[in-house]
Amino acid sequence: MCLGLLFALCPASARCADALGTPRPMNVLWVTYDEEGEIKTSGASELSLRISNNPSGIPLVAIGESQFNATGNTCRSSAWIACFVASQEAGKQLSDYEFLYGMGKGLVDGPSAGMTFAATGLTILEDRPLREEKTALTGAINPDGTIGPVGGVRHKLDGAIRDGVKYFGYPIGARLDYDPVKDQFYDIEEIAAKAGVTAVELADINDAVKLLTGTVRKD
């Protein structure tokens, strides 16, 4: 079972149509982190987000799966919170849009995708281009737009490094990641720097969008 998700956004699909009457797509690359005893693995897969106008006025957040019941309830809950936060930050209502996430292959669960769900949605709603360099982040999303802690940050960073990510965002306060199996702390920014990656602590959705796009939303 996947314990965490890490997403690296692909710049090729960053720009969206001016009108939300045509769904705005954004493709992302995500890394799963699985733990079975002392065996920890991470690997890359694909995810997509499409947002379009919602004529019904009834909130709609949908998750497309490659197999039946592949997405756990915690991940689904994170998607709903993320869409609410992204809509509020954009000055809109959740019911103004239809959100469709395509989860790709495998069984996934956990809150780690939350901030990426939210930041990706807000980037689409504000029609912002992504930075040229491959960027990834991990962290839960809270209803007030702040980022929450997640596990396995070091292992997710390892997956991002293998996938060629240049910027890595993670929850504030999680720079020292503890591995209970080896009873050892790892410095996230030190590991990232050795691999030529810039690791950045994130406090909220504004920090996340800034990292993804290279531009500041608010003063």
Side-chain angles (χ1 to χ4, degrees), residues 12-186:
S13 61
R15 296 302 294 175
C16 307
D18 289 336
L20 273 173
T22 300
R24 295 182 174 186
M26 182 172 286
N27 296 324
V28 299
L29 188 65
W30 59 278
V31 180
T32 60
Y33 163 55
D34 297 300
E35 181 175 0
E36 293 291 340
E38 294 187 9
I39 301 176
K40 300 177 177 65
T41 60
S42 59
S45 186
E46 291 185 354
L47 176 142
S48 64
L49 171 59
R50 292 176 173 81
I51 302 177
S52 58
N53 281 327
N54 183 2
S56 72
I58 300 174
L60 178 60
V61 177
I63 296 181
E65 303 169 317
S66 61
Q67 63 190 80
F68 175 71
N69 205 29
T71 307
N73 288 334
T74 302
C75 186
R76 292 177 181 275
S77 175
S78 294
W80 275 90
I81 296 172
C83 292
F84 168 77
V85 171
S87 299
Q88 292 291 301
E89 287 289 334
K92 303 293 184 177
Q93 298 294 318
L94 176 63
S95 58
D96 289 340
Y97 304 107
E98 296 177 350
F99 299 84
L100 173 60
Y101 292 98
M103 294 303 296
K105 298 179 180 180
L107 303 175
V108 294
D109 200 6
S112 300
M115 181 53 76
T116 304
F117 280 147
T120 303
L122 185 55
T123 298
I124 293 175
L125 292 178
E126 294 188 339
D127 198 21
R128 291 172 174 268
L130 300 176
R131 65 165 73 240
E132 291 296 325
E133 301 86 356
K134 192 176 283 188
T135 304
L137 59 86
T138 184
I141 181 67
N142 297 320
D144 63 355
T146 57
I147 193 169
V150 294
V153 175
R154 183 269 171 92
H155 299 290
K156 295 171 188 176
L157 172 60
D158 288 344
I161 291 172
R162 287 195 300 271
D163 192 56
V165 165
K166 296 302 180 183
Y167 289 89
F168 176 79
Y170 64 97
I172 190 169
R175 177 170 176 172
L176 294 181
D177 189 59
Y178 178 67
D179 186 334
V181 175
K182 295 184 177 181
D183 189 24
Q184 182 176 349
F185 284 94
Y186 295 92

